Every structure is written in structure tokens, then in C-alpha cells.
Amino acid sequence: MGGVSLPRRIPVVLAAATVLLAGCTSTVEGTASPSPTTAGAPSSSGSGGDQGGDQDPDGLAAGLLPEDAFGAGAQVSPVTEADVRAGAAVGADLAGVTITPEACAQAIQQSQPSVEDLEDFAAQTATSGTSVVVQLLTVGAPGDPVADLAASVATCPQATLTSPEIGTATITFSALDVPALGDGSAGLSYTTSVTGPDGSQLTIPALIAVAVDGDRLLTVLSTSIGGSTDTAAFTDLVQQAYDYQADQLD
């Protein structure tokens, strides 16, 4: 069955993958790396907050991990309203991307809400060399994110994205065991293999986990441009992120 055009609202897994692809075009061509703050993450400034990304210590931002949780040398930055708008612009630029098979295209159309649809949110990135971790805390996400993520491998084990600008990318998904947390948790591992228009290739591994704590949703994503991901370290970080937000916000 044929592919469909990529909508601007897409689930967090493929949102991260497709936005990374936009930045990876230059990496594949040997020039630059993508910005770590355009990984499809919501803003740390909060719904309806200012665009400068100032964190409200009494809001969700208080539940984000401290800088030292990401290891020595990690550069931790809030994801600001400007980053969100930049990510939306990238999504618009990817309007010509097609996705196959149809099952994956339909899964993408079961969209994650935009930032404006959320009641509250906070986010940050931690960059170490070629590795990037994105942590999000949100309130008001509709549906059942844990069940959706857990079922996504069966729905779409492999997707192919194509566009004249990016070339061809194949994203292969597999289940990831994560700690049993709060009111439910799930994980996913996926690898994006990009073949640029000039035939050059790049492989991008990524791990994602979600966990529900009452009305809050924790999302943690880790990826490495041209490197590797550490599953054990990632699941430990997810546990730490969950415990920290529960201690700080409950």
C-alpha cells in the first residue's frame, strides 16, 4: 500500500526520528550535526509561559533531573518555547516525506497533541559528545501513552521514510524492557538507517521510555548520532528520573 504525507502532529517516537533526520542530512553529507534541542520535545517554559524558557520552580520543571544526573561533562539545557517553534518549522519542512507501509502511516496519524493541547509541560536536553538525552514531563496528554507505545512494535515493526531532501530512511522498532513504574510504563528501542541522496549512510540508535505517575507522564529519549546507546544506563536513568519527579512533585 502507498505512503502518505507526513502530518505536523506525530507520535513522540517518530517525531523524534523524523526531526533528527532533518538535522542528519547535513551529518550524512559530512558537514554538521543536528541541534539537540529539536528532538520534538515540548517547552520547559510551561503551557502559556513566556518564550524565554524560564523554569517555574513550583511547576513541572522542578521535577526534571539535576545536571549531575547525566554524568560529568554533560551540557544540560531547557527546551524553550523558541525550540518548540523551531521544531514545528522543521515538521513543516518535512511535509513532503512519505511513510510506508500504510500501517505505519496510520499509526503516525494517531497524533500526539501539540504543546498547546497540554495542560502543563517541562523539558530539557543533556548532550554528551554525539549523545543526546531528552527528558519531558507533561500533564494532559490524551489517550493511553503506555499502551500505545507498548503496542507500537506490533503495529509498525519497520517504517520507511523517503523525501528528495533526506533520501531514504528505514526505522526498525523493537520492544525494550523498562522498570515497572507508577501507574504503568513501557519502552521501545529503534534504529534509524539513513541513506542520503548521494548514497552516504548513517545509523542512529535510539531508546525511549514512558511512565505514568498520576496525571503526569514522564518521557525519556536517548539517541546517539553515529554512536551507540547503553540500554542498562538508559533504564537506570529512567528509574532515577521517575523517582526524582515523584519526590519533587508529590
Side-chain angles (χ1 to χ4, degrees):
M1 302 179 72
V4 300
S5 295
L6 181 68
R8 290 187 61 178
R9 292 184 179 184
I10 52 182
V12 66
V13 176
L14 287 179
T18 52
V19 173
L20 280 170
L21 290 180
C24 288
T25 303
S26 58
T27 304
V28 170
E29 294 171 352
T31 55
S33 297
S35 166
T37 57
T38 55
S43 166
S44 63
S45 60
S47 180
D50 64 45
Q51 295 187 14
D54 294 335
Q55 294 187 0
D56 177 1
D58 296 324
L60 284 182
L64 296 175
L65 284 169
E67 185 171 333
D68 59 9
F70 299 99
Q75 296 182 339
V76 179
S77 304
V79 180
T80 68
E81 189 75 17
D83 295 327
V84 176
R85 296 181 184 278
V90 171
D93 290 341
L94 290 175
V97 174
T98 59
I99 301 167
T100 54
E102 187 68 20
C104 295
Q106 291 174 350
I108 290 172
Q109 289 176 319
Q110 296 171 355
S111 62
Q112 173 174 314
S114 66
V115 172
E116 290 76 12
D117 293 332
L118 297 172
E119 296 175 19
D120 200 3
F121 51 86
Q124 63 182 356
T125 63
T127 305
S128 301
T130 61
S131 298
V132 179
V133 174
V134 182
Q135 182 192 6
L136 300 85
L137 286 171
T138 58
V139 173
D144 188 339
V146 170
D148 291 344
L149 188 63
S152 60
V153 174
T155 302
C156 178
Q158 187 175 81
T160 299
L161 288 72
T162 59
S163 83
E165 292 77 18
I166 296 173
T168 301
T170 301
I171 309 175
T172 304
F173 301 92
S174 60
L176 174 68
D177 289 333
V178 297
L181 299 170
D183 299 305
S185 56
L188 191 69
S189 170
Y190 63 99
T191 300
T192 305
S193 300
V194 185
T195 302
D198 62 353
S200 53
Q201 295 185 334
L202 180 68
T203 299
I204 310 166
L207 305 170
I208 186 169
V210 296
V212 175
D213 183 11
D215 62 351
R216 295 190 299 272
L217 175 67
L218 167 70
T219 302
V220 182
L221 182 144
S222 175
T223 188
S224 180
I225 309 302
S228 60
T229 53
D230 185 331
T231 301
F234 176 75
T235 54
D236 287 346
L237 185 66
V238 172
Q239 178 76 65
Q240 186 178 355
Y242 180 87
D243 291 343
Y244 187 83
Q245 62 83 37
D247 290 342
Q248 296 296 313
L249 300 175
D250 287 346

